Amino acid sequence: MIYAANLKCNHTRSGFLEYAGELDNKISGENVIVFPPSNAFLEAKFKFVQGAQNFYPCDSGSFTGEIGAAMLDEFGITTVLIGHSERRALGEDEPFLKAKFDFAKQKGWDIIYCIGEDDITHMNGSTKEFLTDQLENIDLEYENLVIAYEPIWAIGTGKSANSAIITDILDFISTKTTAPLLYGGSVNEKNICDIKAIKNCNGVLVGTASWDAKNFINLIKA
Ligand code: PEP
């Protein structure tokens, strides 16, 4: 099982240092990835993998406000999140996501690529067509790819998709790729055991329930 924590815009550097120490003390063999805000990247090595929530597809250059590969290299970061719905909502469209994917692939980075439908698409029953389009731009055979299915209507709402929906969608995605599949959307300490039991579910991407180290540790240990 992969346990990935998306800290989003939470934790300062000192806050993350504390978080990282607490988490590191409590995990041993689990496959844990944490995506802190980029200002809080740490140079120390931990038992979890440190990943980048965002990057610009460049090594370095005139891209005001962005972070390129050179900045990730400094912290030994080779795991990136691409396609999160909150980045898509800020304007990251399919051509840009493709550019990010291709850049990360060319670097050989581990990619967690997020896909997921909004409420209207879910309600009108066209989720699978929607996801198929979202997967069109990426190489589904890339060896370092993980796909995270994150229905937008379940993110940050406290209302996870139910097991039947997750099973159906992960089964569907698994007909297209052998990449490990994660589920994300209001995963917490209470529902993690049901989600872990789902066939084709290789892990979870956790937002809110990962921001406090103790909550995230409890979820991992559940
Ligand atoms: C996310 O934003 O990736 C996410 C899954 O958030 P939450 O766990 O808060 O729904």
Side-chain angles (χ1 to χ4, degrees):
M1 281 290 288
I2 298 169
Y3 297 90
N6 178 7
L7 301 189
K8 308 194 185 189
C9 191
N10 297 289
H11 284 290
T12 58
R13 175 178 292 271
S14 65
F16 182 54
L17 188 58
E18 211 175 294
Y19 179 105
E22 214 175 327
L23 179 62
D24 206 50
N25 270 334
K26 292 281 163 39
I27 58 175
S28 43
E30 298 94 342
N31 190 353
V32 179
I33 307 167
V34 181
F35 296 92
S38 52
N39 70 300
F41 288 153
L42 299 172
E43 278 174 298
K45 290 280 165 267
F46 298 97
K47 286 181 230 126
F48 62 85
V49 169
Q50 186 174 223
Q53 293 176 25
N54 188 33
F55 66 95
Y56 195 78
C58 70
D59 284 306
S60 56
S62 299
F63 303 104
T64 304
E66 299 290 351
I67 290 171
M71 290 90 224
L72 300 190
D73 283 350
E74 196 176 14
F75 295 93
I77 290 175
T78 57
T79 300
V80 294
L81 203 59
I82 303 179
H84 192 282
S85 60
E86 288 159 10
R87 299 294 316 167
R88 291 176 189 262
L90 287 173
E92 295 199 1
D93 59 9
E94 291 298 336
F96 186 62
L97 293 173
K98 177 172 166 38
K100 289 178 85 169
F101 181 91
D102 290 346
F103 184 86
K105 179 185 161 187
Q106 176 252 319
K107 291 284 182 193
W109 291 344
D110 293 315
I111 299 173
I112 297 188
Y113 197 85
C114 303
I115 57 172
E117 80 287 4
D118 63 13
D119 202 25
I120 296 171
T121 308
H122 169 60
M123 297 305 271
N124 71 23
S126 46
T127 297
K128 289 177 185 169
E129 292 77 0
F130 186 86
L131 299 181
T132 300
D133 287 349
Q134 285 194 321
L135 290 173
E136 206 124 85
N137 274 329
I138 65 167
D139 174 4
L140 290 168
E141 284 170 22
Y142 176 49
E143 58 190 354
N144 300 328
L145 172 66
V146 172
I147 293 181
Y149 168 56
E150 296 209 300
I152 297 170
W153 49 269
I155 293 181
T157 59
K159 211 183 99 197
S160 167
N162 65 36
S163 293
I165 294 175
I166 303 172
T167 301
D168 184 41
I169 298 301
L170 296 189
D171 283 356
F172 172 71
I173 300 170
S174 72
T175 63
K176 298 179 176 295
T177 179
T178 56
L181 305 180
L182 311 185
Y183 167 76
S186 296
V187 178
N188 57 43
E189 204 185 314
K190 294 200 180 95
N191 60 24
I192 181 68
C193 291
D194 289 340
I195 293 169
K196 274 199 311 199
I198 292 172
K199 184 178 140 254
N200 287 322
C201 182
N202 305 110
V204 286
L205 177 54
V206 188
T208 316
S210 72
W211 300 344
D212 177 278
K214 284 187 186 58
N215 283 348
F216 190 45
I217 291 161
N218 289 342
L219 186 155
I220 293 168
K221 302 287 180 191

